[in-house]
Amino acid sequence: MRFFTQHGKRLLWALGLSLLITACDDQKQAEPQNEVEEIQGQEIAVLTDPPSVPPPITRKHATKVIVNLEVIEKEMQMMDGVSYVFWTFGGTVPGKFIRVRQGDFVEFHLKNHPDNKLPHNIDLHAVTGQGGGAAATFTAPGHETQFSFTALNPGLYIYHCATAPVGMHIGNGMYGLILVEPKEGLPKVDREFYVCQGDFYTTGNYGDAGLQPFDMAKAVREEPDYVVFNGKVGALTGANALKAKVGEKIRLFVGNGGPNLVSSFHVIGEIFDNVYREAGSVPDHNIQTTLIPAGGASITEFTLNVPGEFILVDHSIFRAFNKGALGILSTEGDPNKLLFSGQQDDRIYQPEGGAIQSMPTEPAPEAKPMTKEEKLTQGKNIYASNCQACHQADGKGIPNAFPPLAGSDYFANDPSKAIMAVSHGLSGKITVNGKQFDGVMPKQNLSDAQTAAVITYVLNNFGNKGGEVNPEDVTKLRK
Ligand SMILES: [Cu+2]
């Protein structure tokens, strides 16, 4: 009896084990394969500065790859006129782009330049192992450390410094991307670019000139002064814009170093044909905006069908237009009017019809000449609904954007200049009260009587010196 029970137990145990083994087998099939390949030969990794990417890997086998990365603490521009002491992997923000193949055996050397003041290390998200290599690479200034790992999982991974205070090391620019290409490689494209977003915290506000120290309190509150692509306001605009041609297939390797913000990455005027969301292995299609976590990445691909200046933004849009998260992909080539026409028409739109805007019993205001009093009352309303959004309720405008109408010397001695601005629009460099403006004021779709009213209102308010404009004055200038 005793024997039978024991035997039965053993039988059950064996059955359970074999079930477990079968289950494991099934699981193995469903999960990505990452068994270790035989290593053949060795090479030194080609590392590139943003926005360049090392060439695609054509090898069909795993190899030993030696990566030499040097930490450099150095002063660079955060924006023209604003400098900052960045801590970098390789002298740039983001750091050098590293490209290896799945299965590669990576021998990693981290060098901390002797002129640096602090110890640093590296946590590569591509590493399976303690701290992503952080403790293994803790490196004092003037030292070099080494560790190795096998790149098991393909994907695009952030690497960053993980030396305490970690937020400060990342916040000073210590991050970059490492691509582990799948064994079969990535589909061929015409151009690849390296873009990485980061948020920065300075004692001064956005644009305050000079050398700006890191502001720990702002970083803890997650209130960045700068949110930028590739370490600087304008790193990807003007002469630094990314360049491509119509018909080309583009791949963007986009990372987000943080330290705090999540990016809503978008390219204005493009739709991503493929997005490897969070840099996973299977692409989604037809994506407009993709979220990139802090400490994460995304691969986006699209074909350029028409020429234009395609604008890369974090679609948390104040970051783009007020904190720097804006880049340009400048695309040359022949237009295709069928795919995109550009503006084809601009005409007056009056849903109620031009004449029905007054009570039928009263004569239309434009027919009966307005008294100055009437102009002031009507002008006030026109100002509130047509001008105030830009020139502000107090007429003082917004520095560097919208010039003041209050005490403006631009039209003080010649109200026709104000009439011209409203009836024709105004653009290009102008000086108002000693300040230069270079904006665009759209032409205002107002009738001659309405224009006369609003300018009379402006002339008699905001500390201006008075006067009156008649519809005929506008009619004359309108031509
Ligand atoms: Cu560091």
Side-chain angles (χ1 to χ4, degrees):
M1 186 65 185
R2 192 160 177 240
F3 165 82
F4 184 77
T5 321
Q6 261 193 357
H7 186 71
K9 260 190 199 160
R10 220 174 268 167
L11 208 71
L12 274 177
W13 189 80
L15 195 71
L17 190 70
S18 72
L19 275 176
L20 199 72
I21 288 168
T22 323
C24 282
D25 270 359
D26 283 353
Q27 228 173 22
K28 222 179 192 173
Q29 263 160 23
E31 274 178 12
Q33 309 277 300
N34 54 15
E35 73 274 3
V36 175
E37 264 181 283
E38 189 201 338
I39 305 297
Q40 301 173 37
Q42 79 170 44
E43 61 187 46
I44 293 176
V46 175
L47 307 181
T48 57
D49 291 344
S52 302
V53 179
I57 291 172
T58 49
R59 266 188 283 120
K60 295 280 172 276
H61 59 86
T63 195
K64 175 174 161 184
V65 180
I66 298 167
V67 175
N68 291 303
L69 193 56
E70 184 187 34
V71 175
I72 304 166
E73 300 168 5
K74 70 178 205 192
E75 191 177 318
M76 295 190 289
Q77 301 267 293
M78 172 85 74
M79 183 181 188
D80 290 338
V82 183
S83 56
Y84 188 85
V85 177
F86 292 90
W87 301 346
T88 73
F89 285 110
T92 55
V93 177
K96 303 260 186 200
F97 195 105
I98 308 170
R99 189 167 196 157
V100 301
R101 176 187 177 275
Q102 181 185 12
D104 280 351
F105 177 77
V106 182
E107 184 183 287
F108 203 98
H109 297 255
L110 190 69
K111 304 168 187 197
N112 194 348
H113 194 281
D115 292 346
N116 291 346
K117 298 194 170 55
L118 294 149
H120 300 283
N121 63 11
I122 192 166
D123 166 354
L124 300 120
H125 290 187
V127 169
T128 306
Q130 182 67 48
T137 54
F138 185 81
T139 315
H143 284 246
E144 171 182 339
T145 58
Q146 181 195 323
F147 85 115
S148 30
F149 67 95
T150 298
L152 293 177
N153 299 68
L156 179 65
Y157 299 93
I158 279 278
Y159 64 75
H160 62 87
C161 183
T163 305
V166 178
M168 184 175 178
H169 283 250
I170 297 177
N172 281 337
M174 297 199 77
Y175 45 79
L177 288 176
I178 172 169
L179 173 67
V180 181
E181 279 203 43
K183 286 176 185 168
E184 64 283 5
L186 289 170
K188 197 188 160 321
V189 293
D190 298 298
R191 280 175 212 267
E192 295 179 325
F193 295 109
Y194 173 20
V195 177
C196 200
Q197 183 171 322
D199 28 297
F200 289 89
Y201 306 81
T202 53
T203 21
N205 293 322
Y206 179 84
D208 283 0
L211 177 63
Q212 291 292 327
F214 171 75
D215 188 319
M216 188 68 168
K218 283 185 185 172
V220 172
R221 288 200 306 271
E222 306 190 10
E223 287 169 5
D225 302 284
Y226 296 87
V227 183
V228 296
F229 294 130
N230 290 3
K232 187 190 167 191
V233 179
L236 298 176
T237 62
N240 305 323
L242 304 176
K243 287 175 189 65
K245 296 199 177 72
V246 167
E248 287 180 332
K249 202 169 175 189
I250 306 299
R251 174 178 293 133
L252 302 180
F253 294 110
V254 193
N256 183 7
N260 288 318
L261 302 185
V262 165
S263 174
S264 299
F265 185 71
H266 176 74
V267 177
I268 301 176
E270 265 301 337
I271 298 155
F272 301 134
D273 299 323
N274 303 316
V275 172
Y276 298 77
R277 284 188 202 267
E278 296 176 19
S281 296
V282 182
D284 278 322
H285 305 296
N286 306 323
I287 307 285
Q288 58 194 300
T289 300
T290 191
L291 270 179
I292 310 179
S298 178
I299 304 174
T300 70
E301 295 169 351
F302 49 94
T303 299
L304 293 164
N305 303 105
V306 291
E309 304 284 289
F310 297 95
I311 305 179
L312 285 57
V313 293
D314 178 339
H315 215 295
S316 290
I317 209 74
F318 276 99
R319 299 177 189 169
F321 293 106
N322 302 75
K323 296 186 172 181
L326 188 147
I328 290 179
L329 172 61
S330 182
T331 307
E332 281 182 358
D334 293 332
N336 181 334
K337 296 284 182 196
L338 190 62
L339 294 185
F340 182 76
S341 72
Q343 186 176 68
Q344 293 181 305
D345 195 9
D346 172 5
R347 66 178 77 182
I348 309 254
Y349 169 60
Q350 284 170 314
E352 319 250 324
I356 325 174
Q357 309 213 352
S358 54
M359 297 303 282
T361 48
E362 275 177 66
E366 307 194 13
K368 187 183 79 171
M370 276 187 272
T371 64
K372 188 171 176 188
E373 248 1 86
E374 286 168 331
K375 282 180 193 158
L376 291 175
T377 316
Q378 215 202 332
K380 184 175 186 193
N381 293 334
I382 297 171
Y383 184 84
S385 50
N386 291 272
C387 323
Q388 191 169 308
C390 298
H391 292 287
Q392 305 301 296
D394 59 7
K396 289 188 177 146
I398 294 181
N400 303 321
F402 304 116
L405 303 182
S408 163
D409 61 3
Y410 179 81
F411 57 81
N413 298 318
D414 183 5
S416 67
K417 289 174 86 177
I419 299 174
M420 287 298 282
V422 172
S423 58
H424 291 78
L426 187 63
S427 64
K429 284 202 177 83
I430 58 165
T431 306
V432 182
N433 300 345
K435 298 256 154 56
Q436 216 181 54
F437 294 86
D438 189 6
V440 176
M441 169 166 157
K443 165 175 177 245
Q444 304 293 301
N445 284 322
L446 299 173
S447 70
D448 292 357
Q450 288 170 318
T451 305
V454 74
I455 289 171
T456 303
Y457 170 77
V458 168
L459 293 177
N460 291 278
N461 283 280
F462 310 133
N464 291 334
K465 56 185 188 185
E468 186 174 355
V469 169
N470 293 312
E472 302 79 71
D473 304 329
V474 182
T475 316
K476 253 188 268 160
L477 287 168
R478 183 82 74 181
K479 288 180 259 149

